[in-house]
Amino acid sequence: MTPKPSTSPAEIACFPPLFNRALVLTGPTASGKTTLAVQVAIAMRDVPIATTGHPSARAPEIEIISLDSIAVYRRMDIGTAKPSADEQRSVVHHLIDVVEPDQETSVAEYLTAAHNLVDQIHQRGNRPMFVGGTPMYLKAILRGFDPGPPADEAFRDAVMRDVQQYGTAALHQRVQQVDPISAARIEPHDVRRMIRALEFARQTGTPISHRQQQFDIEQSPEAGLVFALQTPRSVLHRRIESRVERMFAGGLLDEIRALTEDYPVLSKTAGTAVGYREVLTSEEFQTWIADPTVAPDWLPVAQQVLFHTRRLARRQETWFRSMGELRFITTHQGGDDTERPSEELVGEMVAAIRQHPVWVQQHATG
């Protein structure tokens, strides 16, 4: 899953958009993406397409590619709400359980695997559908991505020492001098992205904002099949609360304890995932690990998971509103508690998909 980009600025390969080669279903966490995607994939098996004026010998099948930066990790199942075993048996799923929890991964590594899969799925006569809610992955799929040069760990460590000594305000001012456009876009507390902006400019001689301008061009919703679930905030909050309760009742703590026994140091991405970070950094967990006979009060930890999951959903919604390519599917009508039947949602998506070029046309690979 690991690409090897050239260190030459002129030769660094960019990932082109997959907007016109794949279906997408996204939405905030707990909005029901996984279940709906499986239902749509099954429904589309009965929708043949015409090729060269004749009915296809068989309808293309949808193969789902996970669009989730945490679902790639093995043994992180409960906190990530991965598709169930039955769902994975009923529809082919990809990019789930492909990385060890102590290994770091990146957008470029994900995209390398995703582009290869899209080619392979089209070669089989099927259609890929990306399903998930990781905003950076979504934008890279829709608009393309410039991975830039590889990480310079020595430079990053040096900048981090400066941050510890002088603070994030000084770091932001430094980015402002090198790349004012990125400085305006990046939140003042987002140290990771500010360091990457400095690193990029240092290695390529070009501000990252200039190199990535080509990836800010959006297309119309009608040009693609990019669906986003839109759920009332009050309903989403209740779903998130129910999910967090199920996670703790379903063995999240035991899952994390087993992870720490086999992987003493989790990767930064895995260890900071919502639901895992709160447990791993809690005093309750440390006490429990030291003495399993102790029964801590996990309510404060669960409340932290709930708070951060709701905040994650708000960030996702903000991202989605900024992307003009999305076709929004409302999950409720006539009031917050009036949920649309799943058959109605499936029917809406199938009607949009069945005659669209993304579905009808057999796209070349490569």
Side-chain angles (χ1 to χ4, degrees), residues 104-347:
E104 194 55 79
T105 187
S106 68
V107 179
E109 289 170 328
Y110 172 84
L111 290 173
T112 297
H115 277 252
N116 288 338
L117 281 167
V118 168
D119 283 348
Q120 294 164 17
I121 292 168
H122 277 288
Q123 287 169 359
R124 289 192 283 271
N126 291 334
R127 302 292 183 266
M129 175 189 276
F130 288 92
V131 180
T134 299
M136 182 61 72
Y137 285 13
L138 174 64
K139 184 176 181 181
I141 290 299
L142 299 185
R143 302 184 186 178
F145 181 74
D146 181 354
D152 183 340
E153 296 299 340
F155 175 76
R156 292 183 176 189
D157 290 343
V159 176
M160 277 303 303
R161 289 194 294 270
D162 288 343
V163 171
Q164 292 167 0
Q165 183 173 357
Y166 302 110
T168 57
L171 175 62
H172 193 264
Q173 185 176 11
R174 187 172 169 185
V175 175
Q176 173 70 35
Q177 295 171 346
V178 173
D179 186 353
I181 295 176
S182 289
R185 291 176 176 174
I186 299 173
E187 294 291 336
H189 61 271
D190 194 337
V191 173
R192 181 186 63 81
R193 290 185 64 198
M194 285 192 284
I195 291 178
R196 180 56 176 167
L198 292 176
E199 178 184 60
F200 195 108
R202 179 174 180 268
Q203 293 196 44
T204 67
T206 305
I208 191 171
S209 58
H210 292 184
R211 279 280 293 266
Q212 295 185 339
Q213 282 178 347
Q214 59 183 307
F215 304 114
D216 289 335
I217 300 174
E218 65 184 36
Q219 300 193 55
S220 69
E222 295 76 17
L225 290 172
V226 184
F227 302 95
L229 295 184
Q230 197 168 43
T231 302
R233 180 68 57 82
S234 59
V235 173
L236 197 60
H237 280 189
R238 290 197 297 272
R239 287 184 175 181
I240 291 172
E241 185 173 354
S242 295
R243 173 176 287 186
V244 172
E245 290 175 355
R246 291 196 303 271
M247 285 164 50
F248 277 84
L252 176 65
L253 299 170
D254 289 331
E255 177 178 275
I256 295 176
R257 180 173 64 181
L259 272 177
T260 58
E261 289 173 351
D262 293 339
Y263 303 94
V265 180
L266 297 179
S267 72
K268 181 178 179 181
T269 301
T272 57
V274 175
Y276 293 88
R277 174 186 58 195
E278 294 82 3
V279 173
L280 288 167
T281 58
S282 68
E283 293 182 7
E284 290 86 349
F285 185 71
Q286 301 306 319
T287 300
W288 185 51
I289 289 295
D291 184 359
T293 65
V294 174
D297 177 9
W298 293 107
L299 181 59
V301 181
Q303 289 174 333
Q304 282 295 302
V305 175
L306 177 61
F307 172 77
H308 289 139
T309 306
R310 286 177 172 173
R311 189 165 68 178
L312 169 63
R314 288 196 298 272
R315 289 201 304 268
Q316 290 171 316
E317 289 174 324
T318 299
W319 267 83
F320 301 149
R321 286 194 296 270
S322 72
M323 305 194 72
E325 297 92 338
L326 276 56
R327 300 170 178 242
F328 287 97
I329 302 280
T330 57
T331 61
H332 291 66
Q333 285 184 342
D336 287 354
D337 295 317
T338 307
E339 185 171 5
R340 296 175 64 191
S342 60
E343 296 83 0
E344 190 175 309
L345 299 179
V346 171

